[in-house]
Amino acid sequence: MSRSSRDPEGRMPLREHLVEVRKRLVLSAIGIVLGAVVGWIVYDSVFTVLQEPLLEAAARRDALIGLNFDGVATAVDMKVKVSLFLGVLLSSPWWLYQLFAFITPGLTSVEKRYAFGFIAAAVPLFLAGIALAWYLLPRAVALLNEFVPAGTSNLIGAQMYLGFVMRLMLAFGIAFLVPVIMVALNMMGVVRASTWIAGWRWAVLVSFLFAAIMTPTPDVLTMFWVALPICALYFAAYGLSVLHDRRVDKRDAARLAL
């Protein structure tokens, strides 16, 4: 978008704003589709890994536990959904950049640097949450299959199992993005660091509740291993907010002194 199409304050006419939104959405969709193509190619390998927790549970209990494709088009539908999900994960740096590119025209040079920092932090944190969920998936499947009565089988609907895996991964991915959102709100002047530290007890409580609900094993140690990184990220975000508030306060004090 050329600067001549906007006023000196960086505002865009509504029509050009909508055109820019469409452009970024199309580019994001192209990135996701390309990532989905890669997901389609590696689907067999991914599906094998997805089945491993069920096969391990079946071997441990000496029972019939596995996926059930209960429809004519279920296998194709699952392949498409897994490919799209992988496409979203693989293209996350690209569609996050498109979000940044859409916001950029209205940002100052300093704010642009902050935006780059948010993207640089958001992508690895989101993927770290996904990785943690992937690590916990076998334990979740093993624990849930412990409730299957002896002498019975557990044929799980493929679509239902896929939905469970996706929800688990997205929950952890979004949880790890919370610190980035905290810093962003602070940089925008919406929330000061004092607000974050005032609610630290609630943050810790919510982190441990989230870990207790999402952790598949009943032992306390695993729950701590899940909750502690989330708490650490919360306090790291608070520390960055403190540094930002101090800079803002010094700048405002200098202006008042003039």
Side-chain angles (χ1 to χ4, degrees):
M1 187 64 61
S2 63
R3 294 185 179 274
S4 60
S5 62
R6 296 180 282 110
D7 64 19
E9 296 182 4
R11 292 175 297 196
M12 299 167 58
L14 177 60
R15 182 177 177 277
E16 295 184 2
H17 186 81
L18 294 176
V19 170
E20 185 72 8
V21 170
R22 184 180 63 183
K23 173 185 174 183
R24 297 304 169 186
L25 287 175
V26 169
L27 290 174
S28 298
I30 291 174
I32 292 174
V33 170
L34 292 176
V37 171
V38 177
W40 184 276
I41 295 172
V42 302
Y43 170 77
D44 291 337
S45 299
V46 173
F47 182 74
T48 300
V49 175
L50 285 174
Q51 280 194 108
E52 285 181 0
L54 295 174
L55 297 177
E56 291 174 2
R60 185 182 303 109
R61 293 180 55 82
D62 192 22
L64 178 59
I65 300 174
L67 294 180
N68 179 37
F69 291 86
D70 53 358
V72 176
T74 302
V76 176
D77 190 37
M78 184 169 180
K79 186 170 184 177
V80 171
K81 288 182 178 180
V82 170
S83 300
L84 286 173
F85 185 68
L86 290 173
V88 171
L89 297 183
L90 294 173
S91 64
S92 55
W94 173 249
W95 51 259
L96 281 171
Y97 168 76
Q98 294 306 318
L99 176 62
F100 161 75
F102 173 69
I103 299 172
T104 296
L107 296 181
T108 65
S109 58
V110 175
E111 289 170 335
K112 289 178 183 178
R113 289 199 295 270
Y114 286 147
F116 272 124
F118 294 147
I119 295 175
V123 172
L125 284 175
F126 179 71
L127 296 179
I130 295 293
L132 179 58
W134 186 267
Y135 170 76
L136 292 173
L137 177 62
R139 292 160 178 77
V141 173
L143 175 64
L144 294 175
N145 275 284
E146 289 297 325
F147 294 94
V148 178
T152 62
S153 61
N154 184 21
L155 295 177
I156 306 169
Q159 299 278 27
M160 183 180 299
Y161 180 70
L162 176 61
F164 167 74
V165 173
M166 286 183 174
R167 284 193 297 272
L168 183 68
M169 290 186 172
L170 289 176
F172 277 91
I174 293 172
F176 274 56
L177 282 179
V178 170
V180 179
I181 298 172
M182 290 171 57
V183 175
L185 291 174
N186 177 258
M187 297 290 186
M188 294 166 59
V190 177
V191 181
R192 288 184 62 86
S194 57
T195 302
W196 297 133
I197 197 60
W200 73 268
R201 292 178 180 83
W202 285 105
V204 172
L205 176 61
V206 170
S207 297
F208 275 88
L209 284 176
F210 174 81
I213 294 172
M214 301 303 297
T215 300
T217 54
D219 60 287
V220 178
L221 184 60
T222 303
M223 182 186 70
F224 268 88
W225 278 115
V226 173
L228 289 179
I230 299 176
C231 293
L233 289 172
Y234 181 91
F235 286 105
Y238 162 70
L240 292 175
S241 299
V242 168
L243 295 176
H244 177 258
D245 285 350
R246 288 178 180 175
R247 286 196 297 268
V248 172
D249 292 342
K250 288 181 180 180
R251 183 184 61 196
D252 292 345
R255 288 177 179 176
L256 290 175
L258 296 177

